[in-house]
Amino acid sequence: MNILITNDDGWGAKGLLCLIRNMQQLGHVTVIAPDKAQSGQSNAISVGIPLYMTKLPTPQEIAGADIYLTDGTPSDCIKLAVNTIFKDHLPDLVVSGINHGSNAAVNVIYSGTMGACFVAAEQGIPAIGFSLCDHDLDADFSYLEPYIIPLTKQLLSRQHTYGICYNINAPMGEIKGVKWTRQCKGNWENEFFPQTDSQGNTIYVLTGNFHNHEPEAEDTDEWALSHGYISLTPQSIDMTCYAALR
Amino acid sequence: MNILITNDDGWGAKGLLCLIRNMQQLGHVTVIAPDKAQSGQSNAISVGIPLYMTKLPTPQEIAGADIYLTDGTPSDCIKLAVNTIFKDHLPDLVVSGINHGSNAAVNVIYSGTMGACFVAAEQGIPAIGFSLCDHDLDADFSYLEPYIIPLTKQLLSRQHTYGICYNINAPMGEIKGVKWTRQCKGNWENEFFPQTDSQGNTIYVLTGNFHNHEPEAEDTDEWALSHGYISLTPQSIDMTCYAALR
């Protein structure tokens, strides 16, 4: 099996190395990673900007993997790989992450990790995004790690549907199990406050807190995560609201 | 009515000025626009990057409008406006565009124009994105223009549902009418070819062609556009694939 891996925290992130190590149990791994952090890059693509792609020497701990670095976004990474390294034969699976931070609820629309999966879904390639609800650079992936290969095998055994991918989020610490979930309704608030830069100019730096609109609903990703479960949400690149069409 | 307008082609784009002029018929207009082209920026947000916001003098042709410029993405623009200019009272409507280029089919996941609408939808604000299938800087918006206010009034008269917004795309030239549509299935292909920069390094610049998977389906946005109709697609920020959950 040929597995293509990317992330949005950039090459060298602890979560990416953990994912590569695990995926090497399933087949040959090719990595194409951004050369810098690309959090919040969503499905951004580099329009009119020339991109570079460099093959890196492979570190010993992931010997056998092919590693490429680009100055593009996570979406660029998948598009570049599909049109160059894999131009004669698409990869069998795209995996993205492990993201340092949650991509549950509305975060999915801002997520570079999931953006890469959506590009794969557009190309008809099965794709899974993995995220841990811990932004720390040295986040502890050890509780999630035993779930990675069983979940991947389970999802690959399902019939593949065009335009669909999977969004897996794990809570910090002990894990009680896995729940199939839907995206929780909620919004970010208090995201920008005026601050002052060193020149006395007003600047705005993104922050904020998530306001959960349905904390009691037990079928959401947020509920699963706050109760110690891994959330597994199938996501579609078809954003049509069919209820509004009827 | 308080109307907030942004776009992804940046301040000064012909499509933005056309949209402002028209929306001034419906109420007071506040514009917060990127200071440069932000095509393909999707829902990208500026994580860890300080943003600046400047109030500009209002050009005579759109007298009465308040104009702000930022160095952020279209998503940043809406988040900034909601947390500063509109922090005590949300706008009644967000309008984005008119984009120079199509945002139909899978383009919606890459679109900065629609990214701004998705942020509005997350905040519970009614939102409409307008796009014309013409990338030209001097694109002719005159055929679309008579539809802008009637369509906006029609959509505002519907019951507002949290998380939903509208994606309006217009063909070039004469328009036969408006069709409610769903997002067409299809993918971009041949997107990157190796080229050489002035130093002899290999570079990759995004290009490509859209491959329509269902050209015969008469209920899609692509069908409407290729047959001379405006496509009107309701879009949801809930990307859960409910069919895969069942």
Side-chain angles (χ1 to χ4, degrees):
Chain A
M1 188 154 82
N2 277 306
I3 303 162
L4 173 62
I5 302 185
T6 193
N7 77 340
D8 76 357
D9 294 310
W11 172 242
K14 188 176 173 185
L16 176 63
L17 293 169
C18 174
L19 192 55
I20 297 168
R21 253 194 344 262
N22 280 276
M23 285 296 152
Q24 287 188 305
Q25 298 172 37
L26 290 185
H28 180 261
V29 166
T30 302
V31 181
I32 179 162
D35 61 4
K36 55 190 170 296
Q38 294 276 351
S39 289
Q41 280 299 297
S42 184
N43 261 113
I45 46 178
S46 298
V47 176
I49 301 167
L51 298 177
Y52 292 82
M53 183 165 73
T54 313
K55 195 163 194 299
L56 295 189
T58 303
Q60 183 58 37
E61 64 175 303
I62 52 170
D66 290 319
I67 317 289
Y68 297 85
L69 207 64
T70 80
D71 49 349
T73 65
S75 289
D76 289 329
C77 285
I78 302 301
K79 285 174 182 277
L80 265 170
V82 159
N83 287 281
T84 60
I85 311 161
F86 292 97
K87 73 173 184 295
D88 297 322
H89 199 288
L90 289 178
D92 304 296
L93 174 67
V94 164
V95 224
S96 183
I98 303 170
N99 190 57
H100 294 236
S102 168
N103 281 317
V106 75
N107 296 327
V108 74
I109 69 170
Y110 300 109
S111 165
T113 304
M114 291 308 300
C117 292
F118 296 147
V119 176
E122 176 193 345
Q123 297 298 329
I125 310 166
I128 309 171
F130 287 93
S131 305
L132 178 72
C133 297
D134 185 352
H135 280 96
D136 201 294
L137 285 178
D138 193 34
D140 179 3
F141 296 97
S142 66
Y143 295 100
L144 167 58
E145 216 169 328
Y147 288 89
I148 293 174
I149 295 305
L151 274 172
T152 301
K153 285 182 172 170
Q154 181 193 338
L155 295 176
L156 283 174
S157 73
R158 290 167 62 95
Q159 195 184 347
H160 179 58
T161 308
Y162 177 79
I164 307 303
C165 59
Y166 297 98
N167 183 10
I168 292 175
N169 287 271
M172 290 173 71
E174 295 279 359
I175 292 171
K176 289 185 190 157
V178 180
K179 283 197 184 292
W180 283 82
T181 53
R182 65 175 172 87
Q183 213 178 298
C184 184
K185 286 187 176 63
N187 69 289
W188 283 88
E189 54 188 16
N190 305 315
E191 292 192 278
F192 283 110
F193 297 98
Q195 300 174 42
T196 305
D197 73 5
S198 58
Q199 308 298 311
N201 300 307
T202 303
I203 54 170
Y204 302 87
V205 183
L206 193 67
T207 173
N209 54 283
F210 179 70
H211 172 217
N212 186 331
H213 294 190
E214 42 179 2
E216 308 302 327
E218 299 190 3
D219 58 346
T220 72
D221 46 12
E222 290 292 336
W223 192 94
L225 291 166
S226 64
H227 288 77
Y229 293 91
I230 286 176
S231 69
L232 166 47
T233 306
Q235 313 265 196
S236 171
I237 60 171
D238 182 354
M239 297 178 77
T240 308
C241 178
Y242 287 95
L245 264 187
R246 281 187 292 265
Chain B
M1 189 154 82
N2 277 306
I3 304 162
L4 173 61
I5 303 184
T6 192
N7 76 341
D8 76 356
D9 293 309
W11 173 241
K14 189 176 172 185
L16 176 62
L17 294 170
C18 174
L19 193 54
I20 297 168
R21 252 194 345 263
N22 280 276
M23 285 296 151
Q24 286 187 306
Q25 298 172 36
L26 290 185
H28 179 261
V29 166
T30 303
V31 181
I32 179 162
D35 61 5
K36 54 189 168 299
Q38 294 275 349
S39 289
Q41 280 299 296
S42 182
N43 262 114
I45 46 178
S46 298
V47 176
I49 300 167
L51 297 177
Y52 292 82
M53 185 166 69
T54 314
K55 195 163 194 298
L56 294 190
T58 303
Q60 183 58 36
E61 64 175 302
I62 52 169
D66 290 320
I67 317 289
Y68 297 85
L69 207 64
T70 80
D71 49 350
T73 64
S75 289
D76 288 330
C77 285
I78 302 302
K79 285 175 180 278
L80 265 171
V82 160
N83 287 279
T84 59
I85 311 161
F86 291 97
K87 73 173 184 294
D88 297 322
H89 199 289
L90 290 178
D92 303 298
L93 173 67
V94 164
V95 225
S96 183
I98 304 171
N99 191 57
H100 295 235
S102 168
N103 281 317
V106 75
N107 296 328
V108 74
I109 70 169
Y110 300 109
S111 164
T113 305
M114 290 309 299
C117 292
F118 296 148
V119 176
E122 177 193 344
Q123 298 298 329
I125 310 166
I128 309 170
F130 288 92
S131 305
L132 178 72
C133 297
D134 185 353
H135 280 95
D136 201 293
L137 287 178
D138 193 34
D140 179 3
F141 296 97
S142 65
Y143 296 101
L144 167 59
E145 217 170 329
Y147 287 89
I148 293 175
I149 296 304
L151 274 173
T152 301
K153 285 182 171 170
Q154 180 194 339
L155 295 176
L156 284 173
S157 73
R158 290 168 63 94
Q159 194 185 348
H160 178 59
T161 307
Y162 177 80
I164 307 304
C165 59
Y166 297 98
N167 183 8
I168 292 175
N169 286 271
M172 288 173 70
E174 295 279 356
I175 292 171
K176 289 186 190 156
V178 180
K179 284 197 184 291
W180 284 81
T181 52
R182 65 175 172 87
Q183 214 178 297
C184 184
K185 286 189 177 63
N187 69 288
W188 283 87
E189 54 189 16
N190 306 317
E191 292 191 279
F192 283 110
F193 297 97
Q195 300 175 40
T196 306
D197 74 5
S198 57
Q199 308 297 311
N201 301 306
T202 304
I203 53 170
Y204 302 87
V205 183
L206 193 66
T207 172
N209 54 282
F210 179 70
H211 172 216
N212 186 333
H213 294 190
E214 42 180 2
E216 307 303 326
E218 298 190 3
D219 58 346
T220 72
D221 46 12
E222 290 292 336
W223 193 94
L225 291 166
S226 65
H227 288 77
Y229 293 92
I230 286 176
S231 70
L232 165 47
T233 306
Q235 313 263 197
S236 171
I237 59 170
D238 182 355
M239 297 178 75
T240 308
C241 177
Y242 287 95
L245 265 187
R246 281 188 291 264

